[in-house]
Amino acid sequence: MINSSPITTWEGAGAIFTFAGGGAALWFWIMAVLLIVPLAVAFKAEKNAENEHD
Amino acid sequence: MTPEEIKAAIQASATINLEVYYYWATAIMVLIHAGFLMYEMGASRVKHTLASGTKNILAFAFMIPTFFMFGWWIYLAMTAGFIPNFEAGAGGVPWSDAMGPNLKDNASGVFVAAFTLFACTTASILSGAVIERIRMMAFIILAVLLGSVVWVLSASWGWHYDGWMTKSLGYHDFGASGVVHMISGFFALGVLINLGPRVGKFNSDGSANIIKGHSLPMTATGLMLIVVGFFGFLGACVIFPGTAVSFHETMWTNIYGQPTTLSAIAFNTLMAVAGGIIGCYVMTRDPFWMMSGALCGVISAAAGLDLWYPGTAFVIAFIGGLIGPLAAKFIEKRGIDDAVGAVAVHGMCGVWGLLAVGIFMGGYPAVSETIPGITFYGQFVGMLVMAALGFIPGFMVSFVMKKLGILRASNAVQEAGMDVEIVGDAYPEQMITNTPKTKG
């Protein structure tokens, strides 16, 4: 559905990864945001544990 | 040396390197089985530990001769569907020259070995789902059916350059999201429907009880071993260059002949492991699911592991890490007791892996103009084929076993512990303590 191929033929191809022709940076930033989520989850869980046990 | 002699020497060197490469990839793949062994024993209660382990070890042992007897032949001969091509399968007949030590064939033995370990992986996936209540004989028959027949058929169709799914659908499944994981997950689902839940799993109102395994540390460590083994598994999914059996003189290719690199696999395997673990952490904060999440991630990204941008592989795997536990809950609510989440992790993440390729990888060409490139249609139809090919034989054969009364251990044996059928004790002394947690 999403045409992410940077190539139309394998002859002489270099960077073949998805979105190499444009758009890869978006995935980089989505990944970066997703790395923040577990930090928030950990913080919240620790806070709850402290509140329950203090 | 003449140019011809130099070329022959280079090719001889490449052939030996191919042999070395797949030999050690196979050895690393054995770690998958070691990991599943720990995983399933840890996920069992103490009274079932040895039975779970024995079942797993026997699956490994039965896969090896049965894959030799008919598995490799099925892979070579059944590319067109259910009608065998005897000419193509000739090299896989167990008494052919290729199926034994042969100084003119350095490839067949290591290829058969690698595929045998893929077969062992499928059997292990089934093995975990059915612990603590399946009968040993029934399990062995089902494991052989899955590992040496059903998954091989799917591989012949969709994991072979000449397979009908490859040629007519442009089906792309680099690391076996469909041909290994979906097939095994849906086969296990078919078996679980007939096998029924463990005694005590569900209450009369349909609500589920949590049955904890006896050693989460063993389970988590086993899962990490599986991750190590996956580097061998996924490394064995690429075709070595420069030999008589290679697709390309100088470049690694995938199993469809499309060029790739081991670097591509390294980038994306690591990203997939990380994405899956973090996704499951966000969803559950449960170490069991976090390590299962590594599998969720790898399985979700596996189909496109040769082509993903690493950031995309991470996101696909993260989503897989969310899908795994959600799917497990969904399945449990339907009254199906999947002891280790095999249907969710392998089956449902396999579905996601195939569809993700269809959604995000449009436009990649095949190596031949007569074969379609990657499309959503090809991946979607491929996914349906994998679901049906896995589920139907698993359900039908286990249904017959159920009717014959040979599928499920009696409730009395389950309550006593499946280890009553095994020689020896898991632990020589009572090692379980019941120290209550104290509040800080």
Side-chain angles (χ1 to χ4, degrees):
Chain A
M1 291 183 358
I2 296 173
N3 193 334
S4 68
S5 173
I7 60 169
T8 53
T9 174
W10 293 97
E11 287 296 320
I16 55 167
F17 57 82
T18 51
F19 306 101
L26 173 67
W27 291 94
F28 172 86
W29 288 111
I30 294 172
M31 178 174 68
V33 170
L34 288 179
L35 289 174
I36 307 296
V37 176
L39 300 182
V41 169
F43 181 78
K44 189 179 168 194
E46 286 164 359
K47 209 71 186 156
N48 287 345
E50 281 171 10
N51 290 341
E52 280 175 24
H53 289 81
D54 283 343
Chain B
M1 289 177 90
T2 64
E4 286 74 25
E5 287 172 330
I6 293 171
K7 194 176 176 188
I10 291 170
Q11 193 165 56
S13 171
T15 300
I16 297 299
N17 284 332
L18 170 143
E19 202 173 19
V20 170
Y21 178 79
Y22 289 110
Y23 184 90
W24 291 110
T26 303
I28 295 170
M29 273 197 278
V30 176
L31 289 176
I32 294 179
H33 220 80
F36 271 119
L37 182 62
M38 292 178 69
Y39 176 32
E40 289 167 28
M41 287 199 295
S44 300
R45 287 167 286 179
V46 169
K47 62 185 178 179
H48 302 294
T49 306
L50 287 185
S52 296
T54 305
K55 191 165 53 59
N56 193 286
I57 295 165
L58 278 178
F60 183 73
F62 268 87
M63 261 348 90
I64 295 166
T66 56
F67 192 86
F68 177 84
M69 289 159 74
F70 40 82
W72 189 237
W73 179 83
I74 291 171
Y75 180 70
L76 297 180
M78 303 296 281
T79 52
F82 292 109
I83 310 294
N85 178 338
F86 290 100
E87 194 179 330
V93 176
W95 45 85
S96 81
D97 285 353
M99 293 296 276
N102 181 334
L103 296 180
K104 290 181 180 171
D105 182 354
N106 297 61
S108 292
V110 287
F111 282 158
V112 169
F115 270 73
T116 301
L117 265 293
F118 294 138
C120 290
T121 301
T122 65
S124 273
I125 293 166
L126 170 67
S127 173
V130 297
I131 54 173
E132 299 192 346
R133 76 277 206 202
I134 197 167
R135 287 192 177 192
M136 192 69 79
M137 185 189 76
F139 169 74
I140 291 169
I141 293 169
L142 289 165
V144 169
L145 175 65
L146 170 60
S148 289
V149 180
V150 175
W151 101 268
V152 200
L153 195 57
S154 77
S156 188
W157 293 358
W159 219 37
H160 188 300
Y161 67 93
D162 207 26
W164 72 265
M165 291 174 66
T166 307
K167 291 199 297 189
S168 62
L169 298 173
Y171 177 75
H172 190 89
D173 190 7
F174 168 83
S177 294
V179 300
V180 166
H181 297 287
M182 253 196 86
I183 284 285
S184 308
F186 278 79
F187 188 98
L189 177 62
V191 173
L192 288 172
I193 289 170
N194 290 313
L195 179 63
R198 290 167 287 181
V199 169
K201 174 64 185 175
F202 292 107
N203 302 311
S204 54
D205 63 357
S207 59
N209 297 311
I210 297 170
I211 298 179
K212 289 186 176 176
H214 83 281
S215 176
L216 182 56
M218 187 192 289
T219 296
T221 309
L223 280 159
M224 188 56 98
L225 264 186
I226 296 172
V227 170
V228 177
F230 260 111
F231 280 86
F233 182 109
L234 295 165
C237 296
V238 294
I239 306 297
F240 198 91
T243 75
V245 296
S246 304
F247 287 111
H248 204 284
E249 278 293 308
T250 56
M251 300 181 81
W252 298 91
T253 64
N254 62 21
I255 212 153
Y256 309 109
Q258 295 160 317
T260 189
T261 60
L262 281 182
S263 284
I265 313 311
F267 267 127
N268 287 331
T269 304
L270 288 170
M271 282 296 195
V273 168
I277 290 173
I278 293 174
C280 268
Y281 174 76
V282 168
M283 181 59 80
T284 67
R285 288 189 292 112
D286 174 346
F288 170 83
W289 270 107
M290 286 166 64
M291 284 314 304
S292 293
L295 301 189
C296 292
V298 171
I299 293 160
S300 299
L305 213 65
D306 53 335
L307 294 172
W308 291 122
Y309 169 61
T312 315
F314 180 91
V315 176
I316 298 291
F318 185 100
I319 295 169
L322 305 180
I323 289 173
L326 281 176
K329 272 189 187 170
F330 176 83
I331 291 161
E332 189 176 80
K333 280 188 177 169
R334 300 282 152 323
I336 295 169
D337 178 15
D338 178 0
V340 296
V343 179
V345 171
H346 297 273
M348 300 317 292
C349 289
V351 170
W352 166 233
L354 291 184
L355 295 183
V357 165
I359 294 167
F360 296 112
M361 270 189 195
Y364 278 95
V367 284
S368 162
E369 287 179 1
T370 60
I371 299 173
I374 296 174
T375 62
F376 182 77
Y377 169 79
Q379 294 300 114
F380 183 75
V381 174
M383 180 273 290
L384 294 179
V385 171
M386 292 298 153
L389 184 60
F391 180 81
I392 292 170
F395 180 84
M396 288 177 65
V397 174
S398 61
F399 179 79
V400 172
M401 288 175 163
K402 180 183 173 185
K403 290 295 174 194
L404 294 173
I406 60 171
L407 181 63
R408 181 182 167 89
S410 70
N411 289 356
V413 168
Q414 285 186 56
E415 279 162 10
M418 298 291 282
D419 283 6
V420 296
E421 299 173 352
I422 305 294
V423 174
D425 299 308
Y427 300 101
E429 298 168 18
Q430 179 55 272
M431 295 169 71
I432 307 298
T433 59
N434 192 22
T435 310
K437 284 184 180 174
T438 52
K439 281 199 168 187

